[in-house]
Amino acid sequence: MASESHETHEYDVVIIGAGGAGLRAAIEASAAGVKTALICKSLLGKAHTVMAEGGIAAALGNVWPEDNWKVHFRDTMRGGKMLNNWRMAQIHAQESPDRVLELEEWGALFDRTKDGLILQRDFGGHRYARLAHVGDRTGLEMIRTLQQHAVHKGIDVFMECNIQRLLKDGHKIAGAFGYWRESGGFVLFKAKAIVLATGGIGRSWKVTSNSWECTGDGIALALNAGAELIDMEMVQFHPTGMIWPPSVRGLLVTEGVRGDGGTLRNNSGERFMFRYIPEFFKAETADNETEADAWYTDKANNRRTPDLLPRDEVARAINAEAKAGRGSPHGGVFLDIASRRPADYIMKRLPSMYHQFMELAGVDITKEAMEIGPTCHYAMGGVRVDADTTATDVPGLFAAGEVAAGLHGANRLGGNSLSDLVVFGRRAGQYAAAYAKALRAQPLVDAGEVEQVARELLVPLTSHGGDNAYAIHAQLQECMQNNVGLIRVENEMIEALDVIASLKRRLPNVTVAGGRHYNPGWHLALDLQNMLAVSEACTRAALARKESRGGHTRDDFPSTDERFAMVNVVVRARDGELTLSDEPLPEMPDELKALFEEAH
Amino acid sequence: MAAVAERPARPSTEAARSDTVTFRVWRGDASAGEYREYTVALDEGMVVLDVIHRIQATQAGDLAVRWNCKAGKCGSCSAEINGKPRLMCMTRMDTFERGQVITVSPIKTFPLIRDLVTDVSFNFERAKEVPAFKPKAPDPDGKRRMHQEDVDRVQEFHKCIECFLCQNVCHVIRDHEDNKQHFAGPRLFVRLAALEMHPLDTNDRRELLKARAGLGYCNITKCCTEVCPEHIHITDNAIIPLKERVVTEFYDPVAWLARKLTGRDRRRGIVE
C-alpha cells in the first residue's frame, strides 16, 4: 500500500481535550514556559463542560462560615463510599476555593450573596451550601472564562482534530497521531508529554446526558499505551434526566432543582425519599417533611432533606418507585418545584431548566411537576493517576478530569466535577510541563508505527463488508443500557460481553459511504473502537465487583461487602486482552481518619 | 413557511405515530452541491436534529453536520431551516404543518465546508483581537465584592452559546463579504459589551470598537436580536450602549476637554 501522508507538529506538551480540565492544563503548561498544544474534537468551547449546570463545589464559606476543606473532604469521601483516593480528595477539597477565585480573577461572574461575595447553593451530599454557580449554566461560564483566558495567552489550539493513537519511544510517551475532521488528513504531534483530558464515556449507553464526544477516547488511548484503569464499574446514573418526549430522554435536569427546594414525588404525591434513607446517612438526614423543609434555611438545627442524598441513593430510589408501579406515566417519577417556590424565584434560579422543559416538552416548570428518571451521566472510573502529579504509570502520560479516576470513588457528588477539572487540570499542566522540561531529548516516533496506524484508520473507507456503524452503535447502546445499567446482575453482564465481542468482530466489516472530507460515518466507525473498549472494561470490572457500592448496584449481591471495601478493580490491556486484579486502596493517615469518627 | 409557536404544544402521550417526514437537505461542498430529499419515520417529540440523525443512520452515513449537546447549550447545530436561522436541536418537528417538506441548509454567511458544516473560524480569529479582561485591585481584605444588580447586566451577555446565528443574519457581513475585514459582528459586540460593563474590568476597548471592530457599520436593524436562541437583547443592551460610549469618547467635546484638563480617561460611560 502506498504510504499515507501526514503533517507533523512538535511540542513539549500536548493536551488532548479542551473542556475544563484540558483548558486549565493548557493554561498552566503554557505559563510554565513550555511549547503547548491544545487539541479538541469539536470547536473550541463546545466540550461537554459547557453542559454542566448546577455549580462548582468549593468550601469558600461565604454562605456557611462553618464550612472548610475538612468538611468538604469528608462529604466527598462519604459520598464516594470511602472508595476514593484519600489524597486526591484532600487536594481537591483544599485547592478548589483557590481555583474558583482564580476563575473570578479571569472574568467569571458567579451569582452573588447580599454582601457581594460568591453565592453558594445546596447540592446532594454536601453538608453546607457549597456550590458557586451562575443560575443553572455554570459550565458555560467556566468554559468560556477558561477559553478566553487561553486564547489571550496565545496557546495553539487544534480544533476538530481527533487523536486516535498515542505513540511511545520505548516505555516513554513520544507523540500522538490522529486526523482532521474537516479534511480527513492525518496529523502527527511529536510530544515530550501528553495530558489526557478527554472526558467521559456516556455515549455507550442509550439513555445518557452525554454529548457525542463522550466516547471514552482517553480510556482507550491509555489502555493501548499500557496505562492502568481503576473503578471502571463505577458509572453514575444521575437521578434526574428528562424522560418525555422520547427524543430528549436522558437530557439532564440539574440537581439544583432539589438544591433550590424541589422535591421528588410518586404518582400519589408522596415524597417517597423518606422511605429510602440508608443506614449510612441516617444520622445526618431528616426523617420528616417539616425538618427537611426547615433545613434549607436553618442548617444548625435541622438535618438535610433526603431529596439531596447522594445521587446513587436517589437514582436507586426512583428506579424502585417506578418498578413498584408508583411512577409517572412514562416510567419515571415527578420532580416538583412549582408547588414549593414562587415562579419568579424559579425563573431566576433555573432559567435553562425552564427553557428546556418549555421548548422541548411543553411543560411550564413554574406551574407543574417535571417527569424525570435516571440517566447515564458520569464515569467515576478511568485512568489511574498519581494523586499529586496526575501522572499515569506510562512516563510522560498524564490525565485529569473525568477521564482520570480516584477522586470520586464509587460515587461523585454534584459540583465536585467542575472543581475536579480545574484543580487537577492545573496540576496536570504543571507536572506535564515539569516532566517535559526535565526530559533531555525529544523522544523518537517510530515512522513504521505511524504508517501502520494510518493504514488502520482508513479501513472503514475501503472495506466492503457492508455493515453500518450507526447500527452497531445503536446495538451497543441498547446492550449497555439493558445489561450494564443502573441495576446489574451476573448473567446479563455475561450476555453483554458476548454482544460486545460480536460487535467487535463486526467492526472490520463496517463500510462507510463517502470519502475523507468531513465524514461523520467514518468518524463514528473509529469512535466505536473506543466505545467498545470502554464497554468491555466497564462490564468486566462490574462482573468482578461482587457487591453493591455507590454507582455499582448488583441485584445478585445487593449489599456492600467488606472484602471489596478497600480495593480498586484494576484493568490492564496485555497483548490485546484485558486483565483484571483487585488492588488495595492507599491507606488514609490517622489524622484524616479522625474526621470520620466525629458524631454527626 | 410554518410559524414557530411561542409556546410549543405538549407532545401527546399517545403511542408514537407512524408518520413520516420528507427533508430537503443541502449536500455538497464549496465546489458544487444540490438539495437531496430524504423521507424518514417521525416519532413523538422529535426535533430537526433528530431527523438529521435518522437520515445519517439509515440513508446518508456521510451527511456532515455539527452537533454536541442536543440541548440548546453548546450552539453547534446552527442551520437555516426553511430559510430561517435556528438551532436544529431546539426546533421541534410538531411546529411544522404535517406533510410539509422541510428544507435544511447550512448557514450562509460563512464558507461551506461540506453539507451542513461551515467554516466559522472568522469568529475565533476575531475573538483573538479583543483586549483581555484586566481586573482592578481587590478589596483591602483581598476579596472581591460585586452586587448582583451589577452582575445581572453582564450575565445576560455571558449566556451567549456562540452559535453564531447573529453573525449569520447580520447583513453587514452576510451581504458584503468585504466587510469581514473591518467588522467583527454582533457576537463580538456582545463579548466586548460583557468586558466593557464588567464591574471589575479596567481595560479599554473603545479604539478597537471604533476602528477594527467596525461598530459604526451596525445600523441597528435588530436582525441579530431576533435570532438569538438565548434571547440576549443584543442591539438594545450591548450594541447601542457601546455606540454611545464610542460617541462619548471620540466625538463629545466636553469629554474631550475633560480628558485634556484632567489627563484621565473616563472609564465608565455606560448609558443605562
Side-chain angles (χ1 to χ4, degrees):
Chain A
M1 195 179 284
S3 85
E4 293 302 333
S5 67
H6 62 77
E7 60 180 90
T8 304
H9 302 273
E10 194 167 315
Y11 283 92
D12 294 317
V13 175
V14 165
I15 291 144
I16 307 173
L23 279 162
R24 188 61 190 84
I27 290 166
E28 198 67 17
S30 165
V34 298
K35 197 180 173 206
T36 305
L38 179 60
I39 305 174
C40 49
K41 294 206 288 190
S42 292
L43 298 175
L44 190 61
K46 309 297 186 191
H48 199 58
T49 303
V50 85
M51 292 183 75
E53 293 167 354
I56 174 167
L60 294 159
N62 289 353
V63 175
W64 297 92
E66 300 91 327
D67 201 11
N68 60 55
W69 77 261
K70 288 177 183 166
V71 189
H72 191 184
F73 166 76
R74 181 181 177 277
D75 289 346
T76 300
M77 292 293 301
R78 283 176 58 83
K81 301 294 187 299
M82 307 301 286
L83 203 68
N84 323 49
N85 177 309
W86 67 266
R87 177 64 182 150
M88 288 178 86
Q90 181 188 31
I91 290 171
H92 168 257
Q94 287 174 330
E95 295 185 359
S96 55
D98 283 348
R99 298 286 77 74
V100 170
L101 294 172
E102 176 180 79
L103 288 170
E104 184 165 76
E105 216 55 33
W106 294 346
L109 280 171
F110 295 103
D111 288 349
R112 316 308 294 181
T113 64
K114 287 209 165 57
D115 332 329
L117 299 174
I118 294 173
L119 181 60
Q120 299 181 270
R121 88 169 5 136
D122 282 312
F123 242 55
H126 292 282
R127 186 157 172 212
Y128 297 109
R130 187 177 283 146
L131 271 67
H133 60 277
V134 187
D136 52 4
R137 54 161 195 85
T138 314
L140 173 63
E141 186 74 11
M142 184 164 133
I143 200 166
R144 208 61 90 227
T145 302
L146 291 169
Q147 170 188 347
Q148 285 159 355
H149 194 75
V151 164
H152 291 312
K153 296 292 169 197
I155 295 164
D156 292 346
V157 181
F158 295 79
M159 290 193 229
E160 298 200 307
C161 183
N162 200 329
I163 294 301
Q164 293 290 304
R165 204 67 61 87
L166 300 180
L167 305 163
K168 293 201 295 183
D169 178 356
H171 61 292
K172 286 198 302 282
I173 279 295
F177 188 78
Y179 63 87
W180 290 104
R181 292 178 70 206
E182 179 179 338
S183 65
F186 291 134
V187 53
L188 169 66
F189 293 89
K190 294 181 177 174
K192 291 178 182 163
I194 287 180
V195 176
L196 295 173
T198 54
I201 64 171
R203 291 309 290 183
S204 292
W205 282 262
K206 187 177 176 185
V207 179
T208 177
S209 66
N210 286 189
S211 83
W212 80 269
E213 294 195 295
C214 301
T215 50
D217 299 4
I219 306 277
L221 290 170
L223 263 185
N224 280 331
E228 298 164 346
L229 310 178
I230 57 168
D231 301 337
M232 284 302 292
E233 70 278 21
M234 297 301 176
V235 178
Q236 179 167 83
F237 290 81
H238 193 292
T240 61
M242 286 179 80
I243 57 171
W244 191 259
S247 76
V248 297
R249 186 154 194 178
L251 210 60
L252 188 65
V253 179
T254 177
E255 193 167 319
V257 175
R258 285 169 286 141
D260 290 346
T263 191
L264 293 162
R265 298 183 192 275
N266 62 20
N267 61 15
S268 59
E270 182 204 5
R271 292 171 66 179
F272 59 84
M273 280 309 301
F274 290 97
R275 286 191 277 108
Y276 292 91
I277 304 168
E279 200 54 48
F280 192 69
F281 292 108
K282 250 190 183 131
E284 60 202 68
T285 309
D287 57 10
N288 63 84
E289 297 187 9
T290 311
E291 183 180 357
D293 289 347
W295 168 83
Y296 281 99
T297 47
D298 177 8
K299 291 190 171 48
N301 298 306
N302 298 284
R303 293 169 298 173
R304 183 163 62 222
T305 172
D307 282 304
L308 286 173
L309 279 164
R311 288 173 175 176
D312 53 330
E313 309 289 356
V314 182
R316 274 190 296 271
I318 291 169
N319 186 63
E321 281 299 292
K323 261 196 168 160
R326 294 189 289 270
S328 66
H330 302 101
V333 297
F334 295 103
L335 174 59
D336 166 33
I337 191 166
S339 77
R340 293 169 54 81
R341 294 289 184 269
D344 56 346
Y345 173 87
I346 298 169
M347 297 290 282
K348 171 69 192 162
R349 303 285 297 167
L350 304 161
S352 302
M353 289 303 105
Y354 174 81
H355 185 66
Q356 179 173 314
F357 273 90
M358 190 61 111
E359 297 283 325
L360 296 173
V363 168
D364 181 346
I365 68 167
T366 67
K367 295 199 171 72
E368 53 196 319
M370 297 160 251
E371 248 192 287
I372 55 87
T375 178
C376 180
H377 184 56
Y378 188 86
M380 275 72 72
V383 182
R384 188 187 221 179
V385 291
D386 175 72
D388 288 80
T389 64
T390 79
T392 69
D393 49 351
V394 175
L397 184 62
F398 300 78
E402 188 172 350
V403 69
L407 169 59
H408 308 294
N411 173 61
R412 174 175 71 80
L413 295 185
N416 273 359
S417 179
L418 290 186
S419 42
D420 174 9
L421 303 183
V422 278
V423 166
F424 291 101
R426 174 182 156 275
R427 282 178 168 263
Q430 178 187 351
Y431 287 98
Y435 172 91
K437 278 182 180 172
L439 212 60
R440 289 209 189 101
Q442 188 89 21
L444 297 176
V445 168
D446 177 349
E449 188 184 359
V450 169
E451 273 292 309
Q452 172 63 27
V453 177
R455 278 196 298 273
E456 285 171 27
L457 298 185
L458 291 175
V459 168
L461 291 167
T462 52
S463 152
H464 299 288
D467 222 330
N468 180 339
Y470 297 92
I472 291 180
H473 186 208
Q475 283 165 37
L476 175 66
Q477 289 184 312
E478 198 75 44
C479 163
M480 293 304 284
Q481 187 71 33
N482 296 335
N483 300 326
V484 199
L486 178 63
I487 311 288
R488 300 158 177 182
V489 63
E490 183 170 278
N491 60 341
E492 290 179 359
M493 289 192 282
I494 290 171
E495 191 187 315
L497 286 178
D498 287 343
V499 174
I500 292 165
S502 76
L503 296 177
K504 269 168 103 173
R505 283 193 298 274
R506 281 168 58 188
L507 264 194
N509 298 324
V510 166
T511 302
V512 170
R516 288 169 71 170
H517 189 202
Y518 215 115
N519 186 342
W522 181 37
H523 305 164
L524 177 61
L526 298 174
D527 289 343
L528 272 173
Q529 298 179 0
N530 301 335
M531 287 189 265
L532 285 163
V534 163
S535 300
E536 184 179 356
C538 171
T539 309
R540 293 279 304 273
L543 271 166
R545 186 174 283 276
K546 294 180 170 39
E547 66 156 356
S548 293
R549 182 180 301 270
H552 173 66
T553 305
R554 293 277 302 251
D555 216 17
D556 43 358
F557 299 96
S559 30
T560 53
D561 183 334
E562 274 306 302
R563 284 177 304 158
F564 290 99
M566 297 297 289
V567 294
N568 294 123
V569 177
V570 183
V571 179
R572 298 179 179 84
R574 294 290 177 261
D575 305 319
E577 294 295 318
L578 297 184
T579 64
L580 277 77
S581 58
D582 293 344
E583 295 181 18
L585 292 174
E587 171 91 12
M588 194 189 296
D590 289 342
E591 70 266 24
L592 291 181
K593 276 186 189 159
L595 295 173
F596 298 88
E597 283 145 22
E598 297 166 19
H600 283 283
Chain B
M1 189 176 95
V4 176
E6 269 300 286
R7 184 201 198 287
R10 180 190 305 237
S12 85
T13 55
E14 296 153 25
R17 299 167 306 190
S18 58
D19 276 353
T20 60
V21 65
T22 300
F23 266 38
R24 284 174 75 233
V25 183
W26 175 262
R27 301 298 311 271
D29 57 24
S31 61
E34 60 181 356
Y35 284 100
R36 274 189 228 157
E37 283 200 358
Y38 302 92
T39 300
V40 293
L42 190 63
D43 296 328
E44 196 72 62
M46 277 171 98
V47 294
V48 167
L49 186 58
D50 289 315
V51 175
I52 294 290
H53 282 161
R54 189 161 281 181
I55 293 169
Q56 264 187 335
T58 57
Q59 298 175 44
D62 64 334
L63 169 57
V65 57
R66 275 202 190 100
W67 71 285
N68 280 58
C69 75
K70 204 169 127 15
K73 294 187 167 72
C74 76
S76 300
C77 63
S78 301
E80 300 194 1
I81 301 163
N82 286 347
K84 191 166 181 176
R86 295 184 62 94
L87 295 177
M88 288 189 273
C89 72
M90 296 302 283
T91 306
R92 286 230 325 247
M93 289 304 299
D94 56 11
T95 54
F96 301 102
E97 284 168 37
R98 288 175 77 171
Q100 186 189 5
V101 175
I102 292 155
T103 302
V104 184
S105 345
I107 53 175
K108 294 203 175 62
T109 298
F110 301 108
L112 184 63
I113 291 175
R114 186 162 178 263
D115 301 342
L116 300 176
V117 177
T118 56
D119 177 0
V120 292
S121 55
F122 167 80
N123 304 290
F124 292 94
E125 290 305 314
R126 271 357 256 291
K128 291 179 187 169
E129 296 171 358
V130 176
F133 175 68
K134 203 165 108 188
K136 63 185 181 189
D139 294 349
D141 62 356
K143 297 190 172 180
R144 293 198 176 278
R145 288 174 183 79
M146 289 178 266
H147 291 290
Q148 185 63 45
E149 308 82 75
D150 298 328
V151 164
D152 276 340
R153 178 168 60 180
V154 184
Q155 282 182 337
E156 180 192 6
F157 304 139
H158 283 205
K159 290 194 304 184
C160 172
I161 56 174
E162 299 200 324
C163 65
F164 308 129
L165 286 174
C166 59
Q167 304 284 77
N168 179 50
V169 296
C170 178
H171 61 91
V172 176
I173 45 178
R174 187 179 173 99
D175 303 332
H176 307 280
E177 178 67 29
D178 293 352
N179 283 345
K180 285 183 185 165
Q181 307 289 324
H182 37 251
F183 184 74
R187 160 57 191 141
L188 272 296
F189 296 143
V190 167
R191 164 94 176 110
L192 286 157
L195 286 162
E196 286 289 289
M197 299 180 200
H198 194 299
L200 302 178
D201 182 63
T202 61
N203 219 338
D204 194 332
R205 302 167 188 85
R206 283 171 290 186
E207 181 59 37
L208 170 78
L209 278 163
K210 181 171 169 284
R212 274 176 303 149
L215 184 65
Y217 283 83
C218 168
N219 55 2
I220 53 175
T221 52
K222 297 200 176 184
C223 307
C224 50
T225 304
E226 280 166 24
V227 296
C228 178
E230 287 294 315
H231 308 296
I232 300 171
H233 297 93
I234 302 174
T235 315
D236 290 345
N237 291 354
I239 294 178
I240 292 175
L242 286 176
K243 278 178 175 276
E244 284 167 344
R245 305 183 97 200
V246 170
V247 167
T248 308
E249 163 68 11
F250 292 99
Y251 307 111
D252 179 348
V254 178
W256 176 82
L257 188 63
R259 271 201 314 280
K260 287 285 166 195
L261 293 175
T262 62
R264 283 200 356 232
D265 231 357
R266 284 197 331 181
R267 263 298 295 149
R268 298 279 152 211
I270 299 171
V271 179
E272 302 273 355

